[in-house]
Amino acid sequence: MRKASIGLAVEGLPFILLCSFSALIFSLIDCWPLALVLLVATWFSSHFFRDPERVVPTEEGIAVSPADGKVVKIQEVPEPFTGQPRVCISVFMNLFNVHVNRMPVTAKISAITYYPGKFFNASLDKASKYNERCAYSIESSDGNFVMVQIAGLVAQRIVCRVDEADELKRGERIGMIKFGSRVDLYLPENYSPIVSIGESVFAGQTVIAQRKHL
């Protein structure tokens, strides 16, 4: 059954409730400066943890963006599970993007590997190797994709909502990274990117790669 959406990621509810409750307490004791600061924090938390519905494309032979943000890199690099060189599309999320990550294709999660690490700026190349990250091997009928959530300077909490052997549809929620960072998508050999560096994309909605016509 499809889960109902409340427009917010559940991971953000503790932040929102704490900030709003604290703002109420400080307003009751007439400490308005702190109350106003906490009201702003409540607004920011609600904005950051928003989780809007998306119109997921239904065409065959396409992959959608796993994250909201800007494409910062498209290049061939070794993927984390096998070390095989693949074309990788990197999407950088800033503090103002939606941070819920989604499945790029309809597929099964065949493996999940968590890598503890550091918190370099996620836009740097070394973040793919040294930062805290969570990698997903995704087996689809079109080939194997690999998706990697990478934490960064501010983002130090990766949320994984799925388990190995789960089967999900294109555009379904897979997790999130709290407070920014980057998601890498490694393509199978029979797929090619159709976005360019600097382009803004939306998770579950923007088509970023398509199957080659062989």
Side-chain angles (χ1 to χ4, degrees), residues 38-114:
L38 288 163
L39 281 174
V40 171
T42 301
W43 173 86
F44 176 78
S45 298
S46 300
H47 182 75
F48 177 84
F49 286 104
R50 66 196 188 280
D51 184 12
E53 293 296 333
R54 293 288 164 80
V55 178
V56 181
T58 58
E59 298 94 335
E60 300 209 354
I62 62 170
V64 297
S65 178
D68 280 34
K70 183 177 291 186
V71 177
V72 294
K73 183 177 70 173
I74 302 174
Q75 70 179 82
E76 189 174 273
V77 290
E79 58 99 333
F81 286 98
T82 66
Q84 175 187 0
R86 293 200 195 181
V87 174
C88 175
I89 303 174
S90 298
V91 178
F92 182 78
M93 299 179 289
N94 63 38
L95 286 174
F96 301 101
N97 293 128
V98 173
H99 287 77
V100 174
N101 305 137
R102 295 173 179 259
M103 283 287 286
V105 292
T106 297
K108 181 176 79 172
I109 306 294
S110 60
I112 301 174
T113 303
Y114 170 77

Side-chain angles (χ1 to χ4, degrees), residues 37-211:
V37 169
L38 288 163
L39 281 174
V40 171
T42 301
W43 173 86
F44 176 78
S45 298
S46 300
H47 182 75
F48 177 84
F49 286 104
R50 66 196 188 280
D51 184 12
E53 293 296 333
R54 293 288 164 80
V55 178
V56 181
T58 58
E59 298 94 335
E60 300 209 354
I62 62 170
V64 297
S65 178
D68 280 34
K70 183 177 291 186
V71 177
V72 294
K73 183 177 70 173
I74 302 174
Q75 70 179 82
E76 189 174 273
V77 290
E79 58 99 333
F81 286 98
T82 66
Q84 175 187 0
R86 293 200 195 181
V87 174
C88 175
I89 303 174
S90 298
V91 178
F92 182 78
M93 299 179 289
N94 63 38
L95 286 174
F96 301 101
N97 293 128
V98 173
H99 287 77
V100 174
N101 305 137
R102 295 173 179 259
M103 283 287 286
V105 292
T106 297
K108 181 176 79 172
I109 306 294
S110 60
I112 301 174
T113 303
Y114 170 77
Y115 302 87
K118 302 183 183 297
F119 300 98
F120 294 118
N121 188 325
S123 63
L124 301 176
D125 287 342
K126 63 182 177 181
S128 298
K129 183 177 181 181
Y130 296 111
N131 278 25
E132 177 181 335
R133 57 205 186 278
C134 187
Y136 305 80
S137 180
I138 300 171
E139 288 186 5
S140 80
S141 58
D142 264 354
N144 291 351
F145 293 77
V146 173
M147 171 181 158
V148 184
Q149 297 169 300
I150 303 173
L153 281 172
V154 179
Q156 301 190 8
R157 179 72 173 90
I158 294 174
V159 176
C160 172
R161 296 184 182 175
V162 297
D163 296 310
E164 292 182 357
D166 281 355
E167 296 185 5
L168 293 95
K169 294 181 179 180
R170 179 194 298 155
E172 283 197 82
R173 296 163 177 86
I174 193 172
M176 71 178 300
I177 310 175
K178 293 182 179 179
F179 304 111
S181 282
R182 195 176 98 202
V183 176
D184 289 348
L185 181 65
Y186 296 80
L187 306 178
E189 291 184 357
N190 59 331
Y191 268 70
S192 57
I194 60 170
V195 289
S196 55
I197 293 175
E199 186 173 338
S200 295
V201 294
F202 298 93
Q205 186 166 305
T206 304
V207 179
I208 64 170
Q210 66 182 9
R211 188 169 52 210

